[in-house]
Amino acid sequence: MKRLNLLLLGLLPFIIFGQENSPGTIQGDFNFNAQTYSEDPSINASKVDEFMLMNGYANILFNKGDFTAGIRYESYLNALQDFDSRFNGNGIPYRFAQYNVYGLDITVGNFYEQFGNGLIFRSYEEKTLGIDNAMDGVRLKYNPVKGLSLKGFVAKQRLFWEQGPGIIRGIDGELNINDALSLENSKTQAIVGGSFISRFEEDNNPVYNLPENVAAYALRTTLNRGKFSFNSEYAYKYNDPAGSVTYNNYAPGNALMANLTYSERGLGIILEAHRVDNMDYRSKRGATGKELTLNFIPAISKQHVYTLAAFYPFATQPLGELGFQGQVNYTFKKKSTLGGKYGTQLNINYSRINALNGGPSELTINREHSPMFFSLLDEELYFRDINFDIKKKISKKVKLMFNYLDLIYNKDVIEGKIIGKNVHARIGIAEVNYKLKPKHTIRSEFQYLSIDKSDEYYKDQGDWVMGLVEYTFSPHWFFAFIDQYNGGYTSQDGVTYEAVHYLNISCGYSKGTNRFELGYGKKREGIFCVGGVCKNVPSSNGFTLSITSSF
């Protein structure tokens, strides 16, 4: 509280200044999530001593002209079960002041930033995953000439309520060639960029001589011409041994990504590829899990949103992977044979990710290895997904959607298990939206997940069925009933689990910028991902309450 008072006192002169000379603006938002936890042996859910856990935060921003200042108050009393318990507590981990004068943008305090596609640096927050690697220091941005933008910083990185030990220095430049050469009307638009990151951390290893300054650089380009767009980036990380007394890998890392898109009315095509080798880069030598990550490898598989389709999401492997993805989006025209009266949308997607040849680069006292640049068919498969969906409006009242997936999932690599077999799942989904009358809509989903039960694959938790019915009375109310059903299975350890229903009911109310949602039910244990970054979610049984607000 003392820290909050000091910060408010620090902002007060700016607020008073803004109110005396011009209104200025104050904006904010609030988010509250609470859940009770009851013991439920049928799904292996445990209770908590506190009975209820809570995550909450609020952002407050003041803006006047080119000046902005803000704070974020966070409270975890205690953190929800699927969040790291090191979040427990209250405080203000995020505060900053920023102003722009004659093209020079200055930020002191906390900030988020990304260079290029994030291959060597991305600082961001994703509350649903419990990720917040905000930087704390000084950041500058400047546009010295037309078409050229520069930015750089020196900062430390957030680690729950503290900071990581590493000092991070970074600079990035991007040149829009058309703007710089006054070629704005050219059919070809070209942008090139480059970035450099350096981490300083003291070497306290009693045995090995570890580099205290570890650098990484990246080069990127974007070309647009007509209906085509091409983006690529190459990154290189100098040797960054983990710092263990018994094992150190002195091999450098690198990553290469490229994507090509084609877009015209009714047709979109996306082709993507990336190769990642030993590119786990953090602000602390030897940090694990989601701690202190400096870079971000974009996911190269489709991010499914339907519940059963998201049962087996792929988590990007920064230590090494080779991946490809292709997608075609096509809309059959209205009044055509397949388009009908309202047109029909068809999306087809394929992705495949496998290991590098012989594993990632390694340079130790026992082994020196550099994987082949390209090796596909004979390598360990991490993930493969073939899917398509069709969206069709039947009438003014009825909309349909069908989705089918066939995927192979390497549970050992993605979840760190020791099973020895992949999971092969086939998933079918149907959704119907029906408008009963103006402002009244009912939506239903039926989903079925079938596990391949042949000896070649791991049966995991067997088959699943899910049904959902949601009634919306716009603009204020919604009610939803969901049931996920598992027919029972025997685990790898020989434990037999009986069939179980995961029933959930929820209702929500919205008015203005306030939204309330209350629910009750069971959650299954699993893995939850956003953009290729994942976390484990334990099973639970209890009430949930969510409140969001903004002003």
Side-chain angles (χ1 to χ4, degrees):
M1 184 57 70
K2 182 179 179 180
R3 193 176 180 183
L4 173 62
N5 292 335
L6 290 174
L7 284 167
L8 292 175
L9 286 172
L11 292 175
L12 191 59
F14 299 111
I15 298 173
I16 294 173
F17 175 79
Q19 291 173 339
E20 287 180 348
N21 296 276
S22 65
T25 59
I26 297 179
Q27 299 173 308
D29 60 84
F30 170 76
N31 188 293
F32 173 90
N33 288 287
Q35 182 174 351
T36 64
Y37 293 87
S38 302
E39 188 171 8
D40 188 341
S42 68
I43 59 172
N44 201 28
S46 58
K47 64 179 182 180
V48 297
D49 294 338
E50 303 91 331
F51 180 68
M52 185 191 82
L53 302 177
M54 182 278 291
N55 292 1
Y57 66 87
N59 290 294
I60 299 174
L61 295 176
F62 170 75
N63 176 261
K64 179 181 183 300
D66 293 326
F67 175 81
T68 303
I71 61 172
R72 182 171 64 239
Y73 178 82
E74 297 183 6
S75 179
Y76 304 87
L77 298 176
N78 280 324
L80 297 175
Q81 266 195 339
D82 50 331
F83 285 74
D84 196 308
S85 61
R86 286 175 288 182
F87 277 113
N88 290 349
N90 291 319
I92 302 177
Y94 194 89
R95 72 282 183 267
F96 75 98
Q98 177 184 13
Y99 74 92
N100 189 302
V101 58
Y102 299 112
L104 178 62
D105 187 287
I106 301 172
T107 301
V108 295
N110 296 109
F111 58 87
Y112 299 104
E113 186 57 80
Q114 177 172 328
F115 290 171
N117 293 288
L119 294 183
I120 64 168
F121 180 69
R122 184 191 186 199
S123 173
Y124 70 109
E125 66 163 334
E126 180 53 65
K127 291 294 186 189
T128 56
L129 291 176
I131 292 178
D132 188 345
N133 54 14
M135 308 305 292
D136 189 0
V138 175
R139 179 185 63 181
L140 304 175
K141 296 182 179 180
Y142 192 54
N143 300 319
V145 296
K146 184 180 180 182
L148 177 62
S149 60
L150 303 172
K151 52 188 174 184
F153 69 88
V154 179
K156 285 193 159 189
Q157 197 172 32
R158 178 183 179 183
L159 178 63
F160 303 104
W161 297 104
E162 300 175 349
Q163 293 180 344
I167 299 175
I168 313 303
R169 293 71 57 95
I171 186 168
D172 179 86
E174 186 167 284
L175 177 65
N176 187 315
I177 295 176
N178 295 77
D179 288 346
L181 301 180
S182 299
L183 298 174
E184 290 87 349
N185 297 324
S186 172
K187 293 182 179 179
T188 302
Q189 303 286 320
I191 300 173
V192 295
S195 49
F196 179 84
I197 292 288
S198 173
R199 180 200 72 209
F200 171 77
E201 183 183 2
E202 291 185 1
D203 174 20
N204 296 318
N205 192 297
V207 178
Y208 294 96
N209 181 22
L210 304 180
E212 293 189 323
N213 290 283
V214 175
Y217 68 84
L219 302 171
R220 62 183 185 272
T221 182
T222 299
L223 297 172
N224 298 314
R225 183 177 176 85
K227 300 173 183 177
F228 289 91
S229 179
F230 175 76
N231 174 269
S232 67
E233 182 166 3
Y234 172 76
Y236 184 89
K237 175 176 69 71
Y238 290 85
N239 64 331
D240 183 21
S244 166
V245 174
T246 57
Y247 175 85
N248 282 278
N249 181 7
Y250 283 81
N254 63 82
L256 175 65
M257 60 164 290
N259 63 70
L260 175 67
T261 63
Y262 174 85
S263 178
E264 66 174 37
R265 184 179 176 84
L267 174 64
I269 300 174
I270 303 173
L271 299 174
E272 293 182 289
H274 78 207
R275 181 186 184 277
V276 180
D277 180 14
N278 198 24
M279 278 300 289
D280 188 14
Y281 191 30
R282 300 169 186 260
S283 62
K284 178 184 178 183
R285 196 183 296 119
T288 58
K290 296 187 288 290
E291 294 179 5
L292 299 169
T293 55
L294 280 175
N295 65 332
F296 172 80
I297 309 298
I300 198 165
S301 59
K302 185 172 183 178
Q303 308 300 295
H304 297 288
V305 295
Y306 289 93
T307 303
L308 297 191
F311 258 32
Y312 296 108
F314 182 67
T316 303
Q317 303 298 307
L319 288 180
E321 66 176 40
L322 177 65
F324 304 89
Q325 179 175 217
Q327 179 161 323
V328 177
N329 307 319
Y330 185 77
T331 300
F332 294 95
K333 295 180 180 179
K334 297 178 180 178
K335 299 181 181 179
S336 64
T337 302
L338 296 177
K341 185 176 181 180
Y342 298 97
T344 302
Q345 296 179 23
L346 172 65
N347 304 310
I348 303 173
N349 173 272
Y350 172 81
S351 62
R352 177 191 171 93
I353 301 105
N354 57 254
L356 299 179
N357 172 254
S361 291
E362 191 171 346
L363 179 59
T364 68
I365 58 174
N366 298 318
R367 187 179 186 230
E368 182 173 352
H369 167 71
S370 295
M372 295 169 56
F373 180 79
F374 183 84
S375 182
L376 183 63
L377 297 180
D378 296 329
E379 306 306 332
E380 181 182 8
L381 180 63
Y382 286 171
F383 186 80
R384 194 270 287 150
D385 182 9
I386 304 172
N387 62 84
F388 70 89
D389 63 77
I390 301 173
K391 298 176 183 175
K392 176 70 177 173
K393 183 176 179 179
I394 302 299
S395 67
K396 292 182 179 179
K397 291 187 174 182
V398 181
K399 294 180 182 178
L400 303 177
M401 193 288 303
F402 298 99
N403 187 195
Y404 178 78
L405 300 84
D406 185 311
L407 60 84
I408 297 176
Y409 179 85
N410 190 323
K411 204 175 180 74
D412 290 3
V413 171
I414 300 171
E415 298 184 21
K417 307 289 185 181
I418 303 176
I419 297 170
K421 292 182 180 179
N422 291 340
V423 174
H424 182 199
R426 302 180 179 92
I427 304 156
I429 301 168
E431 176 184 316
V432 180
N433 276 272
Y434 182 75
K435 183 179 290 186
L436 299 169
K437 56 183 180 179
K439 298 184 178 181
H440 293 256
T441 302
I442 188 167
R443 185 174 72 89
S444 63
E445 292 179 13
F446 176 79
Q447 306 183 25
Y448 182 69
L449 185 154
S450 173
I451 288 290
D452 189 332
K453 300 177 182 62
S454 65
D455 292 338
E456 182 181 357
Y457 295 102
Y458 179 56
K459 300 178 182 60
D460 201 25
Q461 297 180 7
D463 297 347
W464 289 79
V465 180
M466 178 189 151
L468 174 150
V469 178
E470 182 181 88
Y471 175 70
T472 302
F473 177 22
S474 300
H476 299 301
W477 291 96
F478 83 87
F479 303 89
F481 175 83
I482 304 171
D483 184 17
Q484 294 180 42
Y485 174 75
N486 179 259
Y489 64 99
T490 301
S491 72
Q492 188 184 21
D493 302 327
V495 179
T496 298
Y497 292 88
E498 302 294 332
V500 60
H501 287 272
Y502 289 78
L503 294 171
N504 279 271
I505 56 174
S506 61
C507 65
Y509 175 77
S510 299
K511 185 175 183 180
T513 59
N514 298 325
R515 185 177 188 276
F516 307 85
E517 182 175 345
L518 178 66
Y520 175 76
K522 300 179 180 181
K523 293 181 181 178
R524 75 170 189 94
E525 180 183 9
I527 182 170
F528 173 71
C529 299
V530 177
V533 182
C534 304
K535 70 173 182 179
N536 292 315
V537 179
S539 55
S540 64
N541 185 351
F543 287 93
T544 59
L545 175 62
S546 174
I547 302 173
T548 60
S549 178
S550 63
F551 66 93

